Amino acid sequence: MTTAPLRPPLARRSGDRMIAGVCSGLAHHLGWPVRNVRIAMALAAVAGGAGAVFYAWLWIMVPTADEAARRNARRPASPIAPAVSGAVMPSTAGTFDGGSTAGAPPQPRTEADFSGRTLGSGGNGTLRGWSAVPYGKEILLGAGLLLVAGILIAQMMGANVPLGTIIPAAAVLGGAAIAWMQLDENRRSGLLEKAGARQQGGWVRVAAGLALVVAGVLVTVSGSGSWEQTWLALLASVAVLGGVALVLLPWGLKFWRDLETERAGRVRETERAEIAAHLHDSVLQTLALIQRRAGNEHDVVRLARAQERELRGWLYRDTAADPAQLSERIKAAAGEVEDALGNPVEVVTVGDVLVTERHDALVQASREAMFNAARHGGGTVSVYAEISAGAAEVFVRDRGPGFDPQALPADRLGVRESIIGRMKRHGGSAVITSSNEGTEVRLTLPGGTENVEAKP
Amino acid sequence: MTQQTARVVIVDDHAIFRSGLKADLGDGIDVVGEAATVEQAIAVIAQTGPDVVLLDVHLPGGMGGGGREVIAGSAALLGTTRFLALSVSDAAEDVVAVIRAGARGYVTKTISGAEITTAVFRVAGGDAVFSPRLAGFVLDAFGTAPADIADDELDRLSARELEVMRLIARGYSYKEVAKELFISIKTVETHVSAVLRKLQLSNRHELTKWAAERRLL
């Protein structure tokens, strides 16, 4: 069953079908020729009707290709596939009442025990289990069924299997296992806590208790009369349960699918509510502010820029973008400058790197350069950051009147200390070129980018 | 810049933006048509045969392809009519998709009237218009290492093309790029057109990978 995930999911195919597409779906899933599967199914149908029942069961349980595709959007593979691929060996009916079919295949399987275990008592619970846990329970179920089949073969071969002991014990254990699977994680641990199973010797006590229960049931069963009567009663109840399950199953499946649809709808609704809340908190508030401040052009532009930046961040943000990355930090610094001074700051970045202490200096110097450009240059500030394996470079450009970098007054700490000095202390450099058409500050931080992403 | 008049069609689904843009466009630009949806745009472009179409990337109608679909629907005119993409979106997928469909350039909607007028004339003259952001996308997609051999292969930018792209990304105008590199504006335009061609035609592995990471193509 370990190969199950490699196979195409089991689904009824609408393109190539005789009745409901079960055989072609099965053949596609197993990688067998469709014709062989159809012949096998027809033979099994003639031999005691097992094929017909198996076909009907698959028809009900296996989704169509469309349904499967929709479901796979949420789950990795058809959840039923493993259980079914464990049970696809040709099966025969009629062994339960002792009448063995001529030429019975090596793995006789009773349909009654199928419906009894799978669809009857554990039906609903198992269905719910399938939606939660991918494979574990199916493997367990398959193993159990194989065990039952093995015992039945041995019985037919003439071996003296003490059925009178095994069947009640298996029923009790199976029931306990199903009940256990119904409980969710919290309740299980709670139950174990109460039974004291966490303590030393606790498991022994729980096991002993269970053994006593099994013994009690066995005594009751064997005391109630002859084995023949118990056998008949068991068969009758299984038949009744199977019948009820067959009648209720379509209704139950429909109910379950409706529930799934409703859940998906609720998820969408939640998403919509989240978007509405975000738009209300940000965009509507800003629009209200802009209306009240309509007279002040500077404020309106600043509000609009800030809102635009926030909305862009929300709409287009790379989900992989990490605030600890250099490009994000430079964009954040540009945002601060826009908020403080109202000049648009256009940031273009190429490449990226996780910020280290040295990059911190680069971000601080860039921020200072942007502030200067916005304050003295006016107008739009262009920022370009290029981060490659060799170095990180930031260019900050404005279109102001320019100044002479050589003739800086000694008290202009902003440029001298915060930009040039800071870059030098961290092994980088800052070059300022200025003309009457604008000023450009070029910050370079060589090396130290060994953690550059291969392709940001 | 050889041509000082241009017949233009504006395609945008916001009437306010269309009228604002019309008022902003400078002398010599004659707006011969407007459209708000993909179908209208294809019809108006076929009917008027403009020099330049100012095309919003996101448009209602059609099969949901927006600006790309308009370009595809006007493929017969691609030799005479040039498309300049306008967008508020700065998502790489939108920008590069419309360029690869055949647009000659891409500018953001916050561009000033004078700049868009220059851009329209430049596109009408057969050149490409790159905003700093588009230059950034190109550098990101093609990588910042120059080609080993400066031939005309599509998969890498030559050293000169890289220099031009970097300067444009830094906010330089074509004139400033020419001055900085001691070349003529015509040469800058030639380099930019070459980059545009590579962006439109290249199938190189990294571009595909880069695009896929940004959910496009």
Side-chain angles (χ1 to χ4, degrees), chain B residues 59-135:
Chain B
L59 280 178
M63 284 146 68
R68 249 182 314 159
E69 207 177 323
V70 174
I71 299 178
S74 312
L77 292 164
L78 220 49
T80 52
T81 298
R82 269 96 185 199
F83 292 85
L84 176 59
L86 277 173
S87 176
V88 290
S89 158
D90 52 8
E93 55 190 290
D94 294 336
V95 179
V96 178
V98 78
I99 292 283
R100 280 177 79 94
R104 297 291 298 170
Y106 164 84
V107 290
T108 48
K109 281 188 176 177
T110 48
I111 190 170
S112 74
E115 283 174 309
I116 188 117
T117 306
T118 314
V120 167
F121 284 131
R122 181 159 278 138
V123 170
D127 292 314
V129 171
F130 271 39
S131 67
R133 190 167 297 280
L134 180 53

Side-chain angles (χ1 to χ4, degrees), chain A residues 137-297:
Chain A
K137 285 172 194 169
E138 283 76 13
I139 293 172
L140 211 67
L141 190 70
L145 288 173
L146 281 176
L147 199 71
V148 171
I151 292 171
L152 286 171
I153 294 173
Q155 179 83 350
M156 283 191 318
M157 296 296 199
N160 190 16
V161 182
L163 273 184
T165 324
I166 289 181
I167 288 184
V172 170
L173 282 178
I178 286 170
W180 186 250
M181 286 193 289
Q182 299 294 309
L183 298 173
D184 57 36
E185 224 22 76
N186 289 340
R187 291 211 202 136
R188 277 182 210 174
S189 55
L191 209 63
L192 283 179
E193 212 62 61
K194 274 185 207 140
R198 291 266 183 272
Q199 293 141 25
Q200 196 76 24
W203 278 110
V204 177
R205 210 163 36 179
V206 171
L210 282 177
L212 279 177
V213 172
V214 172
V217 171
L218 284 181
V219 169
T220 319
V221 170
S222 54
S224 70
S226 74
W227 175 240
E228 297 292 317
Q229 280 172 336
T230 319
W231 184 246
L232 275 175
L234 199 66
L235 186 64
S237 43
V238 164
V240 168
L241 278 176
V244 169
L246 279 179
V247 170
L248 289 184
L249 195 70
W251 178 81
L253 276 179
K254 187 184 174 300
F255 184 73
W256 182 55
R257 280 179 195 151
D258 285 354
L259 207 71
E260 288 274 292
T261 316
E262 194 200 315
R263 196 179 304 159
R266 241 192 339 256
V267 168
R268 268 198 302 278
E269 196 56 39
T270 314
E271 264 167 20
R272 228 186 76 83
E274 199 177 304
I275 292 171
H278 181 267
L279 291 183
H280 175 263
D281 288 350
S282 59
V283 180
L284 283 184
Q285 301 282 5
T286 307
L287 287 176
L289 271 174
I290 285 179
Q291 286 169 39
R292 290 179 48 180
R293 298 242 164 199
N296 188 334
E297 194 187 339

Side-chain angles (χ1 to χ4, degrees), chain A residues 346-425:
Chain A
E346 303 284 0
V347 183
V348 175
T349 62
V350 172
D352 220 336
V353 66
L354 282 176
V355 174
T356 63
E357 209 174 315
R358 296 175 66 232
H359 292 118
D360 253 344
L362 182 63
V363 172
Q364 296 295 334
S366 311
R367 187 169 163 277
E368 193 62 37
M370 288 182 226
F371 263 112
N372 279 336
R375 198 176 288 131
H376 304 295
T380 303
V381 178
S382 303
V383 177
Y384 172 60
E386 184 178 315
I387 302 127
S388 61
E393 281 184 294
V394 178
F395 300 84
V396 180
R397 182 178 162 83
D398 68 61
R399 314 236 159 212
F403 66 101
D404 181 3
Q406 303 305 319
L408 269 182
D411 60 338
R412 281 285 296 276
L413 279 182
V415 172
R416 209 179 284 287
E417 264 314 299
S418 302
I419 300 178
I420 302 175
R422 183 180 269 140
M423 289 308 291
K424 273 191 183 144
R425 277 198 299 280

